Amino acid sequence: MDSPLTDSRAAESVRRFWGDAARGRRATGFPVHWLGSSLVLRHVVNPRIGGDPDADWLEWVRRSFVPAKVPSGFVLGCGGGTLERRAAAMGLCDEFHCVDLSPEAIEVARALAAREGWRQFRYEAVDANELQLPAGSVDLVLADMSLHHIERLEHVLGTFRSALRPGGLLVVNEFVGPARQRLHPDGRNPLIRGQNRWLRFIAE
């Protein structure tokens, strides 16, 4: 199967979008996504993950599954590098191989890591649908809200399975539900209603 990003215009649009996101050009000054709200995380999400409102998913993973630092980590869809810097600060891995589709995002991540004195990150701009990793090369894989962007899931997950050493861990942090934008089974989601109004307005 060809990657969905073989269309050069689509690929460039996606790369540019995530590059802009990494540089903060889409920031609005407040969290526009519900998972960007500290109130939602502290009072709803975090307690359901591990029972501690002050411990997010990555902290829960560290406490529950990675009691001691492991040699090698891999980050799928690293963006501006926040995840691997946090993971390194927690002492999860000695080194990280981090990939993202956007070369601009990789540049941002590399610059921020250098600014903060991190030297254990290896960055690579790559279409994850074509991901290749050496067998038995990784102890921990982190995929934070990135797998839902992947078309060739079987290929990517198979690559992780081969790359993980015995006892290695694949950690996937994703929305789990009927659909990301359908928060109410009966369709009374105000977000959906607002989107539909805008679509009707644009159509007119």
Side-chain angles (χ1 to χ4, degrees), residues 50-68 90 92:
D52 184 348
D54 295 316
D56 68 358
W57 68 272
L58 190 59
E59 176 61 25
W60 176 74
V61 166
R62 186 193 66 79
R63 294 178 184 178
S64 303
F65 302 105
V66 194
M90 289 181 177
L92 288 179

Side-chain angles (χ1 to χ4, degrees), residues 131 133 152-164 170:
L131 183 66
L133 294 173
R152 298 179 63 197
L153 274 176
E154 292 83 359
H155 166 75
V156 172
L157 294 176
T159 299
F160 290 157
R161 182 177 183 177
S162 173
L164 282 166
L170 167 62

Side-chain angles (χ1 to χ4, degrees), residues 28-163:
T28 59
F30 60 91
V32 296
H33 191 280
W34 62 282
L35 284 178
S37 166
S38 59
L39 289 175
V40 171
L41 292 173
R42 192 172 192 282
H43 295 285
V44 179
V45 178
N46 293 349
R48 295 186 180 187
I49 292 175
D52 184 348
D54 295 316
D56 68 358
W57 68 272
L58 190 59
E59 176 61 25
W60 176 74
V61 166
R62 186 193 66 79
R63 294 178 184 178
S64 303
F65 302 105
V66 194
K69 184 183 290 187
V70 297
S72 180
F74 179 86
V75 177
L76 177 70
C78 64
T82 300
L83 178 57
E84 58 268 23
R85 294 196 301 274
R86 281 199 63 216
M90 289 181 177
L92 288 179
C93 300
D94 288 324
E95 62 181 12
F96 288 88
H97 177 194
C98 314
V99 303
D100 197 276
L101 177 69
S102 169
E104 189 174 36
I106 290 294
E107 290 177 10
V108 171
R110 187 178 287 124
L112 290 174
R115 182 186 305 171
E116 296 180 16
W118 297 109
R119 303 181 187 280
Q120 59 267 63
F121 305 141
R122 178 164 65 91
Y123 287 106
E124 183 179 9
V126 62
D127 177 359
N129 289 287
E130 308 300 329
L131 183 66
Q132 300 291 331
L133 294 173
S137 62
V138 179
D139 299 287
L140 175 67
V141 173
L142 299 176
D144 180 23
M145 297 294 173
S146 54
L147 275 184
H148 66 269
H149 295 290
I150 304 301
E151 179 74 15
R152 298 179 63 197
L153 274 176
E154 292 83 359
H155 166 75
V156 172
L157 294 176
T159 299
F160 290 157
R161 182 177 183 177
S162 173

